[in-house]
Amino acid sequence: MAKTYAIAIDGPAGAGKSTIAKRLAKELGYYYVDTGAIYRTVAYFLDLLGVSPKDVDGVERYIDELTIEIEYDEEGKQHMIMNGMDVTGEIRTQDISQKASLVSAHAVVREMLLDMQRDVAKVHNVIMDGRDIGTVVLPKADVKIFLTASPEVRAKRRTDELLAKGQTAEYEVVLKEIQQRDYQDTHREIAPLKMAKDSIKLDTSELDIDGVIDAMKKIIGEKIPL
Ligand code: DC
């Protein structure tokens, strides 16, 4: 099998991972794998069944009834297919963000999703973003970048993004949710959000999108042929 390249991007909610990774993937001709969307799909499925994301027994009981597929349309956009249904749009709410964070702490959920994520990277060049890509999913990734920004900057960006989509969003509420998610994602026992030892940290607080893309290309270009 031909060598495939993997770029792992980890970082907290709202650091700009998906916006940046999407654009870079397009420029480099790589597959963009948004792993948060997979956890969101699990959260959405359990939510439809009325199972609390904190209910260990409930999660274990129903998880086997869920099949998830990742599909890409002709524009390279990732679609999440839950038991045959496209739920790409439905999983993008603040409520599902919180539930995905809680659901992602369960061992049974993380195990189920691990191979799915690794399989994509086996056959395609990927830019994969999440919380544990450089540490757990693709520990041998060619490039690892840890994207971060202050909670205030991330909350402002997320608020603007939600408003632009026509959803309601209040900065103070979004900030609290981001802080809560940071806490949950960094304090869970399995695969918590943390920087891999060989990861390069990029603080995007003071950078616009073009600035981040330039900085990332420089980092990536030193490790793999562009
Ligand atoms: O990136 P996101 O905001 O769509 O992710 C939603 C939640 O999913 C996040 O709060 C934690 C969880 N997640 C995870 O545990 N591991 C990943 N690789 C990606 C997301």
Side-chain angles (χ1 to χ4, degrees), residues 5 21 25-26 28 34 61 65 102-103 105-106 124 162-163 167 173 190 193 197 199 209 214 222:
Y5 291 101
K26 209 167 207 169
L28 304 181
D34 168 5
R61 190 169 325 132
E65 294 179 21
L102 292 169
V103 136
H106 296 284
H124 300 290
L162 289 167
L163 291 175
Q167 297 188 25
V173 177
I190 315 158
L193 167 65
K197 279 196 203 81
S199 186
I209 294 180
D214 286 347
E222 281 168 15

Side-chain angles (χ1 to χ4, degrees), residues 204-220:
T204 70
S205 302
E206 308 284 327
L207 296 172
D208 62 10
I209 294 180
D210 287 336
V212 181
I213 296 273
D214 286 347
M216 300 261 298
K217 276 191 185 157
K218 222 164 155 193
I219 296 170
I220 296 167

Side-chain angles (χ1 to χ4, degrees), residues 99-167:
K99 287 175 174 156
S101 172
L102 292 169
V103 136
S104 70
H106 296 284
V108 65
V109 173
R110 301 207 75 86
E111 269 161 32
M112 170 184 166
L113 303 187
L114 197 54
D115 284 343
M116 187 184 301
Q117 299 168 78
R118 286 182 176 157
D119 286 348
V120 190
K122 272 187 200 149
V123 286
H124 300 290
N125 291 330
V126 293
I127 296 187
M128 192 175 284
D129 82 17
R131 304 293 187 286
D132 62 338
I133 309 306
T135 51
V136 177
V137 180
L138 304 174
K140 293 191 178 149
D142 301 276
V143 188
K144 297 182 186 179
I145 297 171
F146 194 85
L147 264 197
T148 187
S150 70
E152 290 75 19
V153 168
R154 290 187 280 126
K156 166 90 173 66
R157 288 181 188 156
R158 190 44 63 92
T159 308
D160 292 347
E161 201 178 283
L162 289 167
L163 291 175
K165 275 199 256 172
Q167 297 188 25

Side-chain angles (χ1 to χ4, degrees), residues 19-106:
T19 310
I20 301 297
K22 233 180 262 170
R23 247 185 68 175
L24 271 176
K26 209 167 207 169
E27 283 190 35
L28 304 181
Y30 278 34
Y31 270 58
Y32 165 51
V33 187
D34 168 5
T35 64
I38 318 177
Y39 288 93
R40 286 169 181 270
T41 303
V42 177
Y44 183 65
F45 169 75
L46 293 168
D47 197 43
L48 286 181
L49 291 177
V51 176
S52 158
K54 290 185 181 171
D55 175 0
V56 184
D57 291 342
V59 172
E60 286 183 0
R61 190 169 325 132
Y62 289 103
I63 198 78
D64 287 344
E65 294 179 21
L66 168 64
T67 60
I68 296 180
E69 284 148 303
I70 306 176
E71 288 181 0
Y72 291 88
D73 65 22
E74 57 283 350
E75 276 152 28
K77 181 177 156 60
Q78 175 179 320
H79 287 255
M80 295 311 306
I81 315 296
M82 177 197 84
N83 290 353
M85 213 167 71
D86 191 328
V87 295
T88 310
E90 285 81 350
I91 59 176
R92 294 280 148 206
T93 65
Q94 284 297 90
D95 182 46
I96 293 299
S97 300
Q98 282 303 330
K99 287 175 174 156
S101 172
L102 292 169
V103 136
S104 70
H106 296 284

